[in-house]
Structures are given as structure tokens and as C-alpha cells.
Amino acid sequence: MVDEYRSIQQSIYESLLIFNPAKGDTVPWLATDWKAADDGRSITFTLRDGVKWSDGQPLVADDVAYTFELQKKLKGGYEYLDGVSAEGNKVTFNFNKPWSPALYDVGQLSILPKHIWSALADPEKDANAKPVGTGPYTEVDNFQAQSFVLKKNPNYWQPDKQKIAGIKMLAFAGNDGANLAAANGDVDWAPQYIPNIEKTFVSKDKDHRHYWFPPTGAMINWQLNTTKAPFNDVDVRKALSMAVDRDQVTKIGMSGYAQPADCTGLSGNYETWKNTQVKDNCTWTNHDVQKANELLDKAGYAKGADGKRTLKDGKPFEFKISVGSSSSDWLSVANVISQNLAEVGVTAKVDSPDWAAVVSGYETGDFDSGIVWSANDPSPYKYFNTSMGSSTVKPVGTKTFDNYHRFGDPKADALLTEFATATDQSKQKDIANKLQEEYNDAAPLVPLFSGPEWGAYNDTRFIGWPTQDNPYATLSVRAPTTVLVLTSLEPRK
């Protein structure tokens, strides 16, 4: 049993390839190989022979082409994509410009069966009660409000890897219920944050209960709304960052499970991309109260007799940190930051309505600051594009789904364009080094820590879980590797 509904998508629908952040490798899946054109304006995938949909129909290239037509129609995106052509067992994605980030962008979208979805009157509103997919577990056996069961796809292309009979998905209102189920042994897989996991989970059965939290998740950032003063001042952003004690943030807020960020802005997913010069000479992500005070003084935000700072118009230097009320770990992080800032005369109040209200404020720009996850693709392009790319900046009042802090940097724009058109990875790494240098100079936001990929398991009933010694996947169902786990587990004999 698994206590996360997100894994249903990879149980039923599969993609052309799978990037495994734990190992840094790319696994061919519905496609056996792919080739980018020399000019970077197209990629051609070769589909795997013998793959069938769960209703017995063959997977064909036209299914892939249709999936992208439907995606663009219903959800938008893929602005660089001119069209998708299907011929035999090959699918070619044509771009309106050289676009190297496209490989994983198109390669990891879940593919849908055209013969099913094209027959629906309104695909966006259809309940999809009887899903048809290529994944290992597609058959809805039992469906209730708080749980449902998926059984084996009778036509799966890897029948030898369907060693478990099915999956029972459980729904919980929050982490507390999910953690209680894990502690009681009611679930086999617990892909969520569990406080004090050694005591609350592992200690109850040390032989069979394990966890693994690799730092390959998204960078968790403290985003400051740069459309508002004083957050539009780079010295202020750096000063506030230096006021934050990331050792406290990760120890108290994240139970010691996370790794503090550095000035590259990159999470543990990008260790091979990091600019060592930037990382090793980092200043503004180090805790330094004296320098934080000096920078704020220099920027003109003076301390009063009461030790509290004021803005240039004489109003108190105070603002809110918005975090959803259900995220106990991030609320702890915000409270640590609030206490840290008090040491430099800045007042930060933690604001914790429900996540829907918090995210609505982020999207429209109606917020002061907040703790936010970041883009986490195989290459760092999207992270830097959504951190400081002008193309991702929307005016306040216009909805955006990334770059909530609304920061654009012309120097970064030029480097991002150069990165996207580069087809050679060594050249991309050179450009990524320069992007990190610009990030270090501009401090577009405040990186806090590499998001751990949460995952705990109880192997009393099933074996074959990924581990640090065998990182064939992560244990996170937010990562694209869930299907690798589902096709590796087997019952304990």
C-alpha cells in the first residue's frame, strides 16, 4: 500500500524516457533511443516495439503526436514546438529555434492513447473512470473516497516485471494521518516528511523499516517579492540571506534531513553542474550577522533606539513570510528565519493560511515573501530561467506559475539563450558556470536548502526498494522514477 495518489499517474501512463536524479542517468522507456538534429531544431525518438495499451491496441507514433497536440490545446506551453510528425515507429519533434532543454521536456510527458482521448467530447472534463495506459498497473479494481486499488495491466510490455499483484492507494488529509499509518505498519511505502523518523518509524522494526532522503529534490527558496521595496535592492536581499542561519533552518525546521544551500543556487540534483569557484567562495548564503547589519546600514535602513530598523519612508522594516498551514516543516523553517531576522532589527511575521490562499498570492504577486519549491529538471536551465529569466516575469496582477518573485536579468537572458541553443553538454556547462556567477552577483532570491526526496519503506511484505547503495530510482513519488520502483518490487518469500 502507498499513501500517495501521485504515483497513480506513473502506474497507468508512461513516458518516452525517465531521468533518474539519484543516479544521474536517463533510462529509455517507451522510446529505445533518440537523436537530436545537428542544428538543434528537432529530436527524433524511436518507439519500442511490441508495446500495447491496456485495452490491447498497439502503441503507435501517432499516439505521441496526438498527446502533444492535446497538451498544447488544453494546457498550453511548449512554445518552442512547431509540430510533431509521426512516421512508422519514429516520432520527430520540430522546433521553431534550437532548443536543447526540449529533450527532457518532451521525453517525460505521459503519453495518452489517441483512440481513447480523441473520441471524448470534452477531454479536459472527462472523469477517466476506466483509464487505458501502457503502465504496469492500470485496472481499477476498487474505488472509494479514501482509497482505491489498481491491478495488473493485462497487456503490459514487461510482464516479467509485474511481480506484485497490484497497488492500494490511500488518501490522507495531511502528514499526521499518513505518518500514523506508517508508524502502525499499515503502509509499505511512505513518501512523505516524517519527523524524528528513527524514533517514530524505524525503531519499531529496525530489521524491516528503512528510509532514504537523497538531496536531489528541488531547491527550496525563500522568495522575496522584488516588485516591492526594499526587496528590489540586491544588498537587502543578500543581507537578509546572511541573517538566516541555515544550520538552524535545516536542523530545527527540517529535522536535520536537508543540506544547506550555497551561492550557486543549485540543489543536490546538480552537483556535477556546480561552479566550484562560486561554491567555494560563497558569502551571502553564510550566516554572518555582522555583515548583514553592515549591508543593511549601508543600504540606508537604519536601526532605531529600540534596535529595530525602519524603511526609508520611516515605516517599520517588517513584512510577512507566507507558508501553507499544513506544511509543518516549512512553518518551522519560517519561524527560524523570523527569529534570525530579529537579530538584525527586521520583523518578519509568519502568515499561514491554507496553501490555496498562499499560492494564489504568489501567482498574482500579492505577497511579501514566501518559501517556495523550484524547477527541478535534469539540466539547470529551468531553475535559472525561472529564477532570473525576463521571459518568466509577469506583471503584478497577472497570474504566473513560476518566478513568483518577479525578477528578470538581461545578463542572465543572454546566457539562457546561449544555453538553450547549445547542443554540446561541455559548452552548456561553461554557460551554466557563467549563470551561477550572475546568480551570485544578483541574488535573485534566497536559496535555503536542497529539498530531500522523501521516502521510507517497510520491507516486511515486499523487497527490491531503491537505496543509497542501489539508487536505481528515488523513493519520492514526485520524481519521475515511480514506475522504476513499481517494476522492481517483488513479494518477500
Side-chain angles (χ1 to χ4, degrees), residues 47-363:
L47 295 188
R48 188 178 296 279
D49 291 334
V51 177
K52 291 182 179 179
W53 295 101
S54 51
D55 63 0
Q57 294 289 320
L59 169 74
V60 294
D62 210 28
D63 291 319
V64 180
Y66 172 78
T67 297
F68 282 86
E69 289 172 14
L70 187 64
Q71 171 74 19
K72 288 196 76 170
K73 179 182 176 183
L74 298 184
K75 303 293 184 182
Y78 300 99
E79 290 83 3
Y80 57 83
L81 191 59
D82 256 353
V84 186
S85 59
E87 186 174 342
N89 68 341
K90 296 188 184 296
V91 184
T92 299
F93 293 82
N94 297 297
F95 314 136
N96 52 36
K97 55 186 172 183
W99 200 252
S100 61
L103 174 60
Y104 294 103
D105 217 12
V106 301
Q108 296 194 110
L109 184 69
S110 298
I111 304 304
L112 302 174
K114 180 179 180 179
H115 67 279
I116 298 293
W117 287 80
S118 62
L120 300 177
D122 190 346
E124 191 169 20
K125 294 181 180 177
D126 191 90
N128 196 23
K130 294 183 178 179
V132 174
T134 62
Y137 300 95
T138 57
E139 308 306 287
V140 180
D141 184 68
N142 181 285
F143 194 93
Q144 299 175 17
Q146 297 302 313
S147 69
F148 62 89
V149 175
L150 291 175
K151 291 293 185 74
K152 290 181 182 181
N153 173 354
N155 292 295
Y156 193 48
W157 57 280
Q158 300 181 98
D160 57 320
K161 293 190 175 183
Q162 291 174 296
K163 292 182 179 176
I164 57 178
I167 312 162
K168 185 175 184 179
M169 309 283 187
L170 304 180
F172 298 97
N175 277 1
D176 290 345
N179 291 342
L180 181 61
N184 291 341
D186 296 334
V187 296
D188 303 293
W189 187 355
Q192 77 270 350
Y193 166 72
I194 302 176
N196 197 6
I197 193 168
E198 288 283 356
K199 180 179 179 181
T200 61
F201 177 72
V202 174
S203 67
K204 297 180 185 297
D205 186 352
K206 290 186 176 181
D207 290 335
H208 297 292
R209 296 189 179 196
H210 310 277
Y211 68 94
W212 178 40
F213 300 158
T216 55
M219 177 58 69
I220 307 304
N221 298 308
W222 179 29
Q223 294 196 356
L224 308 170
N225 189 339
T226 62
T227 68
K228 296 183 176 184
F231 304 137
N232 57 347
D233 184 334
V234 62
D235 285 340
V236 170
R237 295 195 296 272
K238 288 188 173 182
L240 295 179
S241 177
M242 285 190 283
V244 175
D245 185 341
R246 286 168 178 76
D247 288 335
Q248 276 190 356
V249 162
T250 53
K251 183 179 179 181
I252 298 171
M254 299 300 295
S255 302
Y257 302 146
Q259 293 183 0
D262 57 53
C263 297
T264 67
L266 297 177
S267 78
N269 191 28
Y270 305 109
E271 283 301 329
T272 60
W273 290 86
K274 285 192 177 185
N275 182 328
T276 53
Q277 286 297 310
V278 172
K279 180 181 177 182
D280 294 346
N281 295 289
C282 201
T283 57
W284 58 275
T285 57
N286 296 333
H287 185 221
D288 193 328
V289 173
Q290 182 180 333
K291 285 189 178 177
N293 275 315
E294 288 171 2
L295 259 186
L296 289 170
D297 290 342
K298 175 190 162 191
Y301 300 96
K303 270 187 182 177
D306 59 358
K308 293 187 177 181
R309 295 186 183 275
T310 55
L311 300 175
K312 292 178 180 178
D313 60 5
K315 292 179 180 177
F317 194 145
E318 63 179 38
F319 56 88
K320 294 177 181 178
I321 305 174
S322 300
V323 184
S325 57
S326 62
S327 293
S328 55
D329 48 348
W330 287 9
L331 282 172
S332 295
V333 167
N335 281 313
V336 171
I337 293 173
S338 175
Q339 293 162 18
N340 290 160
L341 295 182
E343 295 179 37
V344 296
V346 173
T347 302
K349 299 177 180 178
V350 179
D351 183 36
S352 55
D354 61 52
W355 265 117
V358 171
V359 172
S360 176
Y362 293 164
E363 290 176 349

Side-chain angles (χ1 to χ4, degrees), residues 428-441:
Q428 288 179 344
K429 287 194 172 182
D430 289 341
I431 301 163
N433 283 339
K434 294 175 184 176
L435 279 164
Q436 290 167 71
E437 290 167 8
E438 183 57 22
Y439 184 99
N440 186 34
D441 288 343

